[in-house]
Amino acid sequence: MDEQNTNADPKRGGGKDQGAYWATNIRIIAGCLVIWALVSFGFGIILRPLLAGIEVGGTDLGFWFAQQGSILVFLALIFFYAWRMNKLDREYGVEEE
Amino acid sequence: MDQFTLNLIFVGGSFALYIGIAIWARAGSTSDFYAASRGVHPVTNGMATAADWMSAASFISMAGLIAFTGYDNSSFLMGWTGGYVLLALLLAPYLRKFGKFTVSEFVGDRFYSQSARLVAVICLLVASITYVIGQMQGVGIAFGRFLEIDATTGLLIGACVVFAYAVFGGMKGVTYTQVAQYCVLITAYTIPAVFISLQLTGTPIPGLGLFGEHTASGEPLLAKLDQIVRDLGFAEYTAAHGSTLNMVLFTLSLMIGTAGLPHVIMRFFTVPKVSDARWSTGWTLVFIALLYLTAPAVGAMARLNISELMWPNGTEGAAVSVEQIETSPEYAWMATWQRTGLLDWEDKNGDGRIQYYNDKNADLQARAEANGWQGNELTNFNRDILVLANPEIASLPGWVIGLVAAGGLAAALSTAAGLLLAISSAVSHDLLKGQLTPNMTEKQELLAARISMAAAIVLAVILGLNPPGFAAQTVALAFGIAAASIFPALMMGIFSTRINDAGAVAGMLAGLLVTVLYIFLHKGWFFIPDTNTFTDADPLLGPIKSTSFGAVGAAVNFAVAYIVAGMTKETPQEIKDLVASVRVPKGAGAAVSGH
């Protein structure tokens, strides 16, 4: 329990820095989740009728997003987030030693 | 060499491998048992998590459900992969930074309340046990097939094997065993799919073959499939038929359920650093995607093969004859599966042929009358047998069939073991040591862990004798429960300092109760047949089926938590500091057991 609190002490310029770090993180998360929802719930389900005209292998683009496309986008999102956050950690000097 | 011996060699050989690894890496201390040492590389951890998480539902059941429903069951594909985005962005790095062994420890500390921890343990137990039921179903079917006995006897034998296997080691043994299991299961899933894709489309990559050209007809594969199932009176494969709202909620339930499953989250406590937790989630999804990009191809191609086998002269010609089914080697799989009680046919009109069509379709009824058909004669085709039967349906060599049996068991076994570990740590570590008998020795804690594993298996077998659906559907119910109870508490714990002890407890209880109630009303109390008030064909709330209710339960959880937290005492400052420290990676140490 005690070790959890030791680094609550503001380091490197204090709580303001950590606030900015967290705000940036939230922005990145929000951006990623918009894409996450768009490819699955959007293109794969709700917006599928709008994509009906675009043909992919005997069916339409919406079907492709529902069965394959969204999975590929999910992968890209997770690796992007890992890369972006590890970079952000270094920018704010909050990475692990 | 006959098929039975081949199956025995593959299944026996793979088991010997897992048990060998488990003995080699046997858990010594409590720390080993729960979280191994923290020396697990992100890629290794990703592979083990993929094996842990891809269960009988993904391997044995999912492609069958997609095959017989088509587009509407795409929810399984999006839901069970999209959850990893939530896990990677919203939970894994922070829980790793927090640095405890179990999910309920986080809930207990963050909401500074033993009751919150207790409620989290209960949620976790309900979700995990429902999940184990689905695994036992899969184990029963796989054992039933490869020992050529009925599925119930298979279930009982499987339960003994799972137990013997799970008590051998803790997370460390399980981590390396699961790497081996991943290799077995992905090979077993991919090889037949590659063969079948080559047969049908000439493309060795099944995921591309699905959107490729059907060599025999020169048409796109999916267009050909649509035409065949339409001719037989079934719903078109690529078209949407169900309610859009239900599909959205079902997909969402599976996604947030994935991110709320204790045995998956526990995995991210075992990587060395916070940055590794982020990468590890990505690697997990890479290994899962290898199967998930293949699964829709397996489903579509199997549906095409089955339809063509039942109508060897085309859908307008004569159906397959009973004599052919009984004597031709191409149809030998039907007799083998008939013995498990999961496949059956009956020549209702006595014309010596088996007509497989949708007898509820008005257009087909006209054709049936003209030809003297008296209903669909492929009377039973359990969705869960499709993947295991797939290599036989496509007349692939015997060793592929043995390999698939071994892969199916690897999938069911690895997940069952991971879940039993989560259950046993919840009981021994959180419930007994954390709450009831804090003075337990390490030895007693390990003993309690093993006893609770045994109890969980017995309970899952009893409930698994009357499963509430096909394996993947049972598992979907478990995801709904995790979605409604655990995920919201974890997310609010990290992203909001406003939610206090009372809010979290009220939220989790409300989410859990309302979801379990909705499930029991539709699936029967404790899944006992005929005790249900509603059915999923005509659900209580509009189009929302019981498998989709988890998303609604989660919304209830969030809402109740915010309302109750607004009316009760504010979160104390030291907890706000704790949340602040969880949000930055710096200073993450090794996990400690907090008491």
Side-chain angles (χ1 to χ4, degrees), chain A residues 44-95:
Chain A
I45 305 177
I46 300 165
L47 303 177
R48 188 181 170 201
L50 294 181
L51 303 175
I54 308 169
E55 201 179 301
V56 178
T59 179
D60 56 275
L61 190 61
F63 183 88
W64 181 78
F65 265 109
Q67 300 221 327
Q68 277 183 355
S70 49
I71 300 175
L72 297 171
V73 176
F74 295 156
L75 271 173
L77 281 175
I78 295 180
F79 280 105
F80 166 78
Y81 182 75
W83 168 79
R84 185 69 189 81
M85 283 310 288
N86 291 343
K87 201 172 108 187
L88 191 72
D89 288 352
R90 285 190 298 275
E91 283 166 21
Y92 282 84
V94 292
E95 80 276 21

Side-chain angles (χ1 to χ4, degrees), chain A residues 4 7 18 21-22 25 29 32 36 41 44 48 57-58 64 66-68 70 74-75 78 81 86 89 94 96, chain B residues 71 74 78 81-82 89 94 97-98 207 211 220 238 248 255 273-275 278-279 282 293 296 580-581 583 585-586:
Chain A
Q4 305 299 332
N7 61 331
Q18 199 186 317
Y21 167 81
W22 188 246
N25 180 19
I29 291 176
C32 289
W36 164 81
F41 301 109
R48 188 181 170 201
W64 181 78
Q67 300 221 327
Q68 277 183 355
S70 49
F74 295 156
L75 271 173
I78 295 180
Y81 182 75
N86 291 343
D89 288 352
V94 292
E96 296 146 282
Chain B
Y71 166 79
S74 307
M78 290 185 282
T81 51
L89 272 52
Y94 313 108
K97 170 64 196 297
F98 177 71
F211 295 95
T238 58
V248 167
M255 284 178 175
K273 297 198 297 182
V274 174
S275 55
R278 294 183 186 131
W279 290 121
L293 293 172
S581 87
R583 289 177 178 180
K586 200 181 179 90

Side-chain angles (χ1 to χ4, degrees), chain B residues 520-534:
Chain B
F520 282 165
L521 281 174
H522 290 77
K523 297 288 185 187
W525 292 89
F526 302 96
F527 305 133
I528 296 165
D530 301 322
T531 55
N532 56 319
T533 322
F534 301 94

Side-chain angles (χ1 to χ4, degrees), chain B residues 267-284:
Chain B
R267 281 284 170 192
F268 298 98
F269 295 115
T270 63
V271 291
K273 297 198 297 182
V274 174
S275 55
D276 290 341
R278 294 183 186 131
W279 290 121
S280 193
T281 328
W283 283 112
T284 304

Side-chain angles (χ1 to χ4, degrees), chain B residues 35 38 45 92 95-96 98-103 106 262 264-272 591:
Chain B
R38 275 167 192 274
N45 191 55
L95 293 176
R96 170 61 194 87
F98 177 71
K100 293 288 172 71
F101 286 132
T102 63
V103 170
F106 173 78
V264 174
I265 300 174
M266 267 174 88
R267 281 284 170 192
F268 298 98
F269 295 115
T270 63
V271 291

